[in-house]
Amino acid sequence: MDRSALTRPHALLMAGVLLFFYLDAFVLGAPGGMALALLLLALVVLLGFLRHAGHGPPGAIQPAPVLLAAFAALVVLALSRGALVSVALAAALVGAAGGLVEAIGHSSRRCQGVAGPVYCGAFAGMTSELVLGHPGWVVLAGVLAGLALSLLKNSWSGIGGKLGTIAFLGVLGATGLALVSGAIGAGAPLHAFTGAERWLVLIASLLSPLLTHRLSYYWGFGVVLGSALPSLVVALLLALLPPSLELAPGPLAAMWLGASFVGMTAPERLAPRPVPLLLAMGLLFALLSFSFAPRLAGIGGDLGATAAVSVFAVLGARVLVRDRR
């Protein structure tokens, strides 16, 4: 068991953020039987967290990640709120740009470490204007996400959903300040998936982690580009669908994007049989997404936090199976 998982202050912070997200998004308001099942699942998530969170010493605060995350949040906000593209497409586009900059300039020290803060900030920028109306609040969320990313540099190594959960932490901090100042919105309406869309989400949640994992670790794309580039292509293709199909391109693209975070989990976390674990994580991501009903919807980073819950849950279940043997 990772003894640092609940003994360091920053480890406790992440555990608290994940617990808050889980209770708000899935447990509160669920019917009695479902709530009990989700609480039991939370124990499995906790076991996975204790075994795999891997909290090292806190990192030093660096200005570059903070500025990159804030800038990425602002760009995603400008693209999506300007009705130019969907929020998922905007985040994938910004993440792919950050990944390409790091990949092309891998020999330059200036380009090293660009992709992670950019992708993390992009998730903060996905926050709905019905939650944080003024762009300044979203930029602040990006700043807080960049600070947290620097602090948690040595934590959650190889865990899919890390960047999104950190973005959620940043947005949570900004929404807390907005709440105190009376500037917080009522929250965004949740998309109700149709039967056909649910099947597409299930398929995407199984394919996206496998493709992301292959691109990231075996074809040398790196985790950010391996997640963002296919998500960008999928979002563009969905945007071209004719309206007569009665499918929602934006929410479907967001589900592919969120499932891709599962695939960012490192091979050493999944050994010796990565494919079954990735499929289980993707399936759980889809099922949790169908029951996602937070009190304040529209907070950026919720897809990443859902992915992290799915990863820790499956890793925790594997611990239980091995222990029984």
Side-chain angles (χ1 to χ4, degrees):
M1 182 173 292
D2 176 20
R3 295 183 179 180
S4 67
L6 291 177
T7 58
R8 299 178 185 270
H10 55 295
L12 283 171
L13 173 64
M14 290 302 286
V17 168
L18 206 59
L19 176 62
F20 174 86
F21 169 79
Y22 189 89
L23 292 175
D24 180 54
F26 308 119
V27 178
L28 297 180
M34 178 64 73
L36 178 59
L38 289 168
L39 287 173
L40 292 175
L41 179 62
L43 297 178
V44 183
V45 174
L46 176 61
L47 179 59
F49 182 88
L50 292 174
R51 289 291 182 94
H52 291 277
H55 284 280
I61 302 299
Q62 300 291 337
V66 176
L67 294 174
L68 286 170
F71 178 71
L74 182 60
V75 173
V76 170
L77 178 148
L79 290 174
S80 58
R81 295 192 185 183
L84 298 176
V85 296
S86 71
V87 67
L89 197 157
L93 177 62
V94 171
L100 284 172
V101 168
E102 185 169 296
I104 294 172
H106 62 88
S107 59
S108 171
R109 293 186 60 184
R110 292 183 178 180
C111 296
Q112 292 177 3
V114 168
V118 166
Y119 213 20
C120 184
F123 303 146
M126 295 176 74
T127 302
S128 169
E129 61 184 332
L130 298 177
V131 177
L132 297 175
H134 195 281
W137 289 112
V138 180
V139 173
L140 174 61
V143 169
L144 295 177
L147 289 171
L149 185 61
S150 296
L151 179 67
L152 297 164
K153 177 182 179 181
N154 302 314
S155 300
W156 287 30
S157 176
I159 296 295
K162 171 184 175 177
L163 295 178
T165 307
I166 291 176
F168 178 80
L169 171 60
V171 178
L172 195 62
T175 53
L177 293 173
L179 177 63
V180 172
S181 63
I184 195 170
L190 293 170
H191 176 72
F193 290 104
T194 64
E197 288 173 342
R198 284 174 177 258
W199 280 110
L200 290 175
V201 169
L202 282 172
I203 294 170
S205 298
L206 295 175
L207 293 179
S208 181
L210 295 177
L211 179 59
T212 295
H213 192 75
R214 176 63 59 177
L215 291 175
S216 299
Y217 294 104
Y218 298 98
W219 292 359
F221 279 55
V223 291
V224 171
L225 196 56
S227 163
L229 192 57
S231 298
L232 175 60
V233 173
V234 168
L236 288 171
L237 291 175
L238 286 170
L240 297 176
L241 291 177
S244 59
L245 293 178
E246 297 184 350
L247 297 174
L252 290 175
M255 289 299 100
W256 177 283
L257 176 67
S260 75
F261 306 150
V262 167
M264 296 169 75
T265 305
E268 56 267 24
R269 300 286 190 185
L270 304 170
R273 301 180 64 191
V275 172
L277 292 181
L278 287 171
L279 290 174
M281 292 170 181
L283 177 61
L284 183 57
F285 172 85
L287 296 177
L288 288 174
S289 297
F290 293 151
S291 62
F292 179 74
R295 307 280 76 74
L296 189 67
I299 291 182
D302 53 9
L303 292 172
T306 304
V309 167
S310 303
V311 170
F312 282 129
V314 173
L315 293 179
R318 184 175 63 172
V319 171
L320 289 175
V321 171
R322 287 180 173 177
D323 287 349
R324 290 187 63 181
R325 291 177 180 175

